[in-house]
Amino acid sequence: MTSPELHTPGSRLGGFLIGECIHQGAHARLYRVQCVEGQIDPGCALVLKQPRTDHGDAADLRRFEVEHQALRVLSGPQVPRLVDAEDAAQPPWLVMESIDGASLQQRLDQPALPAIEEVVGLGVALAQAVYQLHLQEVVHLGLRPDRVRITPEGRVVLLGYGLSWHAHHPDLHAGLAGTAAGEAGWMAPEQLLGVRGDPRSDIFALGAILYQLLTHELPYGLPDTEAALRQRLWR
């Protein structure tokens, strides 16, 4: 059944013309968009992102606000450029640069394991991209293969900042009851204890991604319960 939140191609939102819906994830939807006549053209392809509100989960709005907060302050080739946003809309939305290229998940979906040299090159590029975030006092805290995009020019771009932490902004995920904020297969042990803002958490995730590229397995599996996830604290 089609959700009433889905936009019709050809409709307008803010100063943008809505195109096709290119992704419906658990937390957000992505649409291709174009600037309408009279808008300043940013000179790049654009996507519009909106949080899912059809299942009534406030966490999706929280993730969206955290991502908007991060993209406002981050800069550099490792981050998609924020073009416009509207927090007051229901649901809110943001428009950012569309990143061409394949994700690391698409590389993992190929049956053949990559060569060691390829993984080393990817690891160096990914580590440099993560380091640039840390220099800007942001910790991603949600790294996983589908959030790492490699452009045709070889640029590594990190996506999905809904779980991130910034040294000088309120941490909307801090102190919340329930499951620890992170991605189960790549989450560092300290995240299970509610420790946020440690750059080493991203280094743990980076290591898990490289392990996955080399073996097509996750070092600690993909636990689906809090109890199984907490085994990471002693394993």
Side-chain angles (χ1 to χ4, degrees), residues 18 109 229:
I18 303 291
D109 290 341
L229 193 55

Side-chain angles (χ1 to χ4, degrees), residues 26-229:
H27 306 290
R29 292 188 176 97
L30 290 175
Y31 299 86
R32 296 196 188 281
V33 294
Q34 294 178 332
C35 294
V36 299
E37 187 176 351
Q39 288 284 100
I40 297 175
D41 187 347
C44 60
L46 302 174
V47 293
L48 181 142
K49 185 172 188 175
Q50 278 192 306
R52 296 283 299 264
T53 58
D54 49 322
H55 42 55
D57 189 350
D60 292 344
L61 289 171
R62 185 166 60 248
R63 280 175 176 249
F64 177 87
E65 181 56 37
V66 169
E67 177 157 36
H68 183 199
Q69 177 177 279
L71 291 177
R72 281 202 307 260
V73 299
L74 283 169
S75 61
Q78 77 286 347
V79 181
R81 178 158 57 103
L82 180 66
V83 173
D84 199 0
E86 179 53 74
D87 278 338
Q90 294 297 324
W93 53 267
L94 61 83
V95 172
M96 58 185 170
E97 173 190 8
S98 177
I99 305 298
D100 292 330
S103 71
L104 286 189
Q105 184 59 54
Q106 288 171 291
R107 181 64 185 87
L108 280 166
D109 290 341
Q110 298 176 19
L113 292 172
I116 294 291
E117 294 77 14
E118 181 184 352
V119 176
V120 169
L122 287 170
V124 170
L126 179 53
Q128 290 174 339
V130 169
Y131 180 57
Q132 291 304 313
L133 295 187
H134 296 170
L135 286 178
Q136 297 178 66
E137 299 187 273
V138 170
V139 184
H140 191 287
L141 296 175
L143 289 173
R144 64 187 194 193
D146 64 325
R147 291 178 179 155
V148 180
R149 189 71 57 86
I150 313 295
T151 71
E153 301 79 27
R155 176 167 63 116
V156 171
V157 183
L158 306 177
L159 307 174
Y161 292 86
L163 296 171
S164 64
W165 174 94
H166 192 288
H168 304 297
H169 288 272
D171 186 2
L172 301 184
H173 292 296
L176 294 175
T179 304
E183 298 296 344
W186 305 268
M187 191 190 306
E190 64 272 9
Q191 288 177 259
L192 295 169
L193 301 175
V195 176
R196 293 171 49 80
D198 190 331
R200 291 173 295 183
S201 300
D202 284 348
I203 296 173
F204 181 97
L206 191 157
I209 290 171
L210 296 181
Y211 183 99
Q212 194 177 8
L213 284 168
L214 287 168
T215 66
H216 279 189
E217 296 179 357
L218 281 160
Y220 297 99
L222 192 60
D224 57 2
T225 66
E226 185 78 12
L229 193 55

